[in-house]
Amino acid sequence: MDANALDWNRTLREQWEFHWNHQLRARLDGLTDNEYFWSPTPDAWSVRPRGRSTAPVQVGAGDFTIDYAIPEPVPAAFTTIAWRLGHVIVGVLAARNAAHFGAPAASYETWEYAGTAATALDQLEAQLDVWLAGVRGLGEAGLPVPVGEKEPYPEAPMADLVLHIHRELIHHLSEVCLLRDLYRHTKAATNGETV
């Protein structure tokens, strides 16, 4: 196959779309609020009603805030599904959608975090739609263009950012699936009581 004839933009999008459509999306169906907020460890970072967190830093614009600390603790804090979805929605997608694809400005500090699993999944799908439309809009010509000062490596091409974001999505959403599995198996093993 002639490498010049390969549709690199389609190939990059399909890297994520295949994983989403065939491995992840169905695994997120029916996510409950109990799963969303469940913490298998004490003091796990999460999304919480405003004023209910004990984390060193709590930010968000709405009724819920997300936990974190500066600098990040070592070892890193354990996080709930709510936290991981908040991170993916805001830090991985919404901030990049704003920086590169004309979406409204987004940051951890200004985001209205979801107080339910259903709302979080709606936010996730909305940001994924913007991301994929933005990547599609790059065409072939936009892939080698440097990402610019909005990213830590400004000279890197947009193709590198697309690959990075897709790795982040696969990584963190696979962790969400693992937490769902852990919740279900822990709940069954303890006769309905979670630890």
Side-chain angles (χ1 to χ4, degrees):
M1 174 186 280
D2 179 6
N4 293 326
L6 185 60
D7 183 344
W8 286 105
N9 188 287
R10 179 187 56 77
T11 300
L12 290 174
R13 283 183 284 113
E14 284 181 352
Q15 176 201 32
W16 164 249
E17 290 172 327
F18 182 87
H19 193 71
W20 176 251
N21 292 328
H22 298 284
Q23 294 176 315
L24 280 175
R25 185 59 190 102
R27 298 269 328 266
L28 298 175
D29 282 343
L31 181 70
T32 67
D33 291 347
N34 286 340
E35 291 171 297
Y36 180 66
F37 289 115
W38 179 66
S39 175
T41 66
D43 301 319
W45 285 357
S46 193
V47 169
R48 304 178 196 285
R50 184 170 295 286
R52 301 263 310 270
S53 175
T54 59
V57 178
Q58 313 110 44
V59 294
D63 293 335
F64 288 81
T65 61
I66 195 167
D67 300 336
Y68 73 97
I70 302 172
E72 187 175 319
V74 177
F78 195 89
T79 58
T80 64
I81 290 174
W83 190 95
R84 289 174 194 267
L85 287 177
H87 169 64
V88 167
I89 292 162
V90 181
V92 175
L93 291 169
R96 272 26 184 276
N97 287 337
H100 300 287
F101 301 131
S107 70
Y108 288 111
E109 294 78 14
T110 63
W111 193 260
E112 291 197 24
Y113 292 93
T116 67
T119 303
L121 292 177
D122 287 346
Q123 288 181 349
L124 175 63
E125 292 204 39
Q127 292 303 316
L128 285 170
D129 288 347
V130 173
W131 171 255
L132 288 171
V135 171
R136 186 175 294 107
L138 291 171
E140 294 295 306
L143 293 175
V145 174
V147 295
E149 298 299 324
K150 299 169 186 170
E151 297 293 337
Y153 302 99
E155 70 287 347
M158 280 299 293
D160 283 3
L161 179 64
V162 172
L163 288 168
H164 170 67
I165 295 304
H166 292 174
R167 283 190 306 266
E168 285 287 286
L169 291 170
I170 291 166
H171 165 79
H172 288 300
L173 294 175
S174 295
E175 291 172 331
V176 166
C177 292
L178 178 62
L179 283 170
R180 282 196 86 186
D181 291 343
L182 184 60
Y183 175 86
R184 289 173 176 171
H185 288 275
T186 301
K187 189 169 178 112
T190 57
N191 204 17
E193 297 295 321
T194 56
V195 290

